[in-house]
Amino acid sequence: MKSINLENNKTFKSILYLAIPSMIAQLVNVLYNIVDRIFIGNMPINGEIALVGVGVCAPILTFLSSFAYLIGFGGAPIFSMSLGENNKENAKKILSNSFVLLFIVSFILLLIIYPFAKPILYLFGASEASIPYAYNYILIYLGGTFFSILTLGLTQFIIAQGKSTIAMLVTLLGCLINVGLDPLFIYVLNMGVSGAALATLISQFISFVFVLFLLLKVTTIKLSFSKLDKKVVCKILKLGFSPFIIMCTDSIVFICLNTCIKNYGGAQSDFYIEVATIVQAFFSLATGPLLGISSGTQPLLAFNYGAKNIKLIKKSEIQLTIFALCFCTMCFGLSFVLGKPFAQLFISLSSSTGNDKTVEVAARVISIYMYGIIPLAFQYVFVDGLTGLGQAKYSIWLSLNRKLVLLLPLTILLPAITKDAFNVFYAELIADVISSTVSTIVYLIIIPKILKKRELETKSVMD
């Protein structure tokens, strides 16, 4: 199986080789949940309220995924650095420790969330009308959480070995299975939201089997099993904390979003939660691939940082930024064309005529969100770039700044001050613009110092 040479001077070729499959893989991960919501929203009976119920589950699903990011995105950069240093034994140890951590964490999460699923859903904004659908969906979905966390986390180590295309194909396989099973279970077997969750569970299990096979039989550094090493675990968790915060605080923001809508939306609270579900799905179609660009290319930065090749790091970061800006600009333009058609995908043709309002409002909110997508290119590339270079102390702070310092307070304050639930949708735009500006300034100040220090380390070794 072909893999890329991460020391190649043609850095843009390396970026494309790593970024495009990673973008597709992230897009496919997003589509897992979007496909479920589209099929559920088009159920001939109770499709709208069922979609609201599944939307309430979103914070839980995001929270669970964040632990795969904590370990997978924390272990993969130091794994790549070890490969750059030609220390294959250490790379093998990092992979083994990451697998054990993913296994333990996924098991603990299931034990904690299963017994408290219903009260958690009420806390996250479920109403009496939507709770039956939310509860049925989450109970079955949780059964596949073990497989989804391990698959998402371990896939990063396949990408880190330069085999991003095969990692993408495994993810794509799971999505295609999910798309095929959804209409069968939801409509033909008349299982409703339970069928959507079961289809996702099966597809996640099959993806996990293939990822495990690749790491045991195909990749250069193969998965082995050993005891946890305290130092390795601390490095993984320290570096993975930034991507973990990004995902975990998404869950917190979703909770606040739904809660604020419930508190200030009055009779329209379920309507606004339905709109939020559609808008978040569209926004993730842009931020998912953007994350693929920034995180999927971390092996290139980490490998060359380990190899102390400063010139390639600088060149790669410039090309990455331009690539991300081009992608975000394209998404921004398309949002004005695709907003309404996308919203219509979630609406059953047999439902009430009030759905015209849902489409109109969802399209309007999509536009509001997407005004901040171009600055967000800087946020993702620079923060994940710092993570790829092992600079957790900076990437963690910049991640916290966007989500906990800006987005979370704005989500709470905007509807509270104006007494209008709709104004909660402006929080994302304001937070994205400000945080991206701050991250860019901080990055431009500290990155020359970081690379200069690494360059001096290289000279001292040569002397």
Side-chain angles (χ1 to χ4, degrees), residues 12 316-328 378 381:
F12 190 63
S316 299
E317 279 288 70
I318 293 171
Q319 292 174 339
L320 265 172
T321 304
I322 295 171
F323 184 36
L325 281 170
C326 290
F327 171 76
C328 289
F378 295 105
V381 170

Side-chain angles (χ1 to χ4, degrees), residues 61 155 222:
L61 310 187
T155 298
K222 293 180 173 58

Side-chain angles (χ1 to χ4, degrees), residues 366-420:
I366 285 171
S367 297
I368 293 171
Y369 269 54
M370 294 302 289
Y371 275 114
I373 193 66
I374 295 178
L376 212 54
F378 295 105
Q379 174 76 13
Y380 273 69
V381 170
F382 293 157
V383 173
D384 284 345
L386 289 168
T387 301
L389 296 174
Q391 305 299 317
K393 59 182 178 180
Y394 298 114
S395 58
I396 290 170
W397 185 87
L398 293 174
S399 297
L400 288 171
N401 179 55
R402 179 183 172 223
K403 294 298 182 68
L404 294 186
V405 176
L406 292 168
L407 184 54
L408 187 60
L410 285 168
T411 300
I412 297 170
L413 292 174
L414 287 178
I417 293 171
T418 62
K419 305 300 181 184
D420 185 348

Side-chain angles (χ1 to χ4, degrees), residues 68-80 83 90-102 150-164 166-167 211 214-215 219-223 232 236 299:
Y69 283 73
L70 172 66
I71 299 165
F73 284 71
I78 56 174
F79 176 86
S80 294
L83 293 180
N90 193 50
K92 194 173 183 179
K93 183 188 291 187
I94 293 166
L95 175 57
S96 173
N97 276 250
S98 297
F99 175 81
V100 175
L101 282 174
L102 287 165
L150 265 78
T151 299
L152 182 56
L154 292 175
T155 298
Q156 305 313 310
F157 294 92
I158 299 175
I159 296 171
Q161 297 184 57
K163 303 182 187 298
S164 54
I166 193 68
V211 167
L214 289 171
L215 287 171
T219 53
T220 304
I221 305 297
K222 293 180 173 58
L223 176 63
V232 173
I236 291 171

Side-chain angles (χ1 to χ4, degrees), residues 71 200 309:
I71 299 165
T200 302
N309 197 332

Side-chain angles (χ1 to χ4, degrees), residues 101-342:
L101 282 174
L102 287 165
F103 186 94
I104 293 172
V105 166
S106 58
F107 185 72
I108 292 173
L109 286 171
L110 283 177
L111 291 180
I112 293 174
I113 295 178
Y114 249 123
F116 305 105
K118 185 169 283 188
I120 290 173
L121 289 169
Y122 274 119
L123 179 65
F124 289 3
S127 63
E128 290 299 327
S130 64
I131 190 66
Y133 303 99
Y135 190 62
N136 288 340
Y137 184 84
I138 202 66
L139 281 186
I140 297 174
Y141 187 97
L142 285 173
T145 297
F146 176 84
F147 306 117
S148 65
I149 291 177
L150 265 78
T151 299
L152 182 56
L154 292 175
T155 298
Q156 305 313 310
F157 294 92
I158 299 175
I159 296 171
Q161 297 184 57
K163 303 182 187 298
S164 54
T165 301
I166 193 68
M168 173 201 72
L169 292 175
V170 171
T171 310
L172 183 60
L173 173 66
C175 183
L176 291 175
I177 293 171
N178 190 34
V179 171
L181 292 179
D182 261 336
L184 173 65
F185 290 165
I186 295 173
Y187 303 132
V188 179
L189 299 180
N190 200 28
M191 295 176 67
V193 294
S194 299
L198 181 60
T200 302
L201 187 155
I202 293 171
S203 62
Q204 288 170 342
F205 171 74
I206 294 173
S207 294
F208 167 73
V209 170
F210 274 89
V211 167
L212 198 60
F213 170 78
L214 289 171
L215 287 171
L216 288 172
K217 300 293 184 181
V218 178
T219 53
T220 304
I221 305 297
K222 293 180 173 58
L223 176 63
S224 59
F225 305 96
S226 61
K227 293 181 180 179
L228 290 175
D229 184 304
K230 185 178 179 180
K231 289 184 179 179
V232 173
V233 169
C234 288
K235 287 181 179 179
I236 291 171
L237 298 181
K238 182 180 178 182
L239 201 55
F241 191 69
S242 175
F244 170 76
I245 283 295
I246 292 173
M247 291 297 294
C248 187
T249 50
D250 273 344
S251 178
I252 297 171
V253 171
F254 286 157
I255 296 167
C256 287
L257 182 69
N258 288 344
T259 303
C260 289
I261 289 173
K262 191 175 180 181
N263 290 339
Y264 298 101
Q268 288 191 304
S269 59
D270 279 344
F271 168 76
Y272 279 134
I273 289 177
E274 182 184 10
V275 168
T277 301
I278 295 170
V279 172
Q280 292 290 348
F282 186 92
F283 195 56
S284 65
L285 287 175
T287 56
L290 179 58
L291 180 62
I293 295 173
S294 60
S295 64
T297 51
Q298 282 180 345
L300 177 63
L301 301 175
F303 184 95
N304 284 294
Y305 189 80
K308 300 178 181 178
N309 197 332
I310 306 304
K311 182 180 178 181
L312 289 187
I313 293 173
K314 291 179 179 178
K315 185 178 178 182
S316 299
E317 279 288 70
I318 293 171
Q319 292 174 339
L320 265 172
T321 304
I322 295 171
F323 184 36
L325 281 170
C326 290
F327 171 76
C328 289
T329 302
M330 180 191 71
C331 291
F332 175 72
L334 289 175
S335 66
F336 294 96
V337 179
L338 300 179
K340 285 186 179 181
F342 181 82

Side-chain angles (χ1 to χ4, degrees), residues 41-57:
N42 280 278
M43 285 165 40
I45 301 175
N46 298 327
E48 285 183 79
I49 194 62
L51 178 61
V52 173
V54 174
V56 171
C57 296

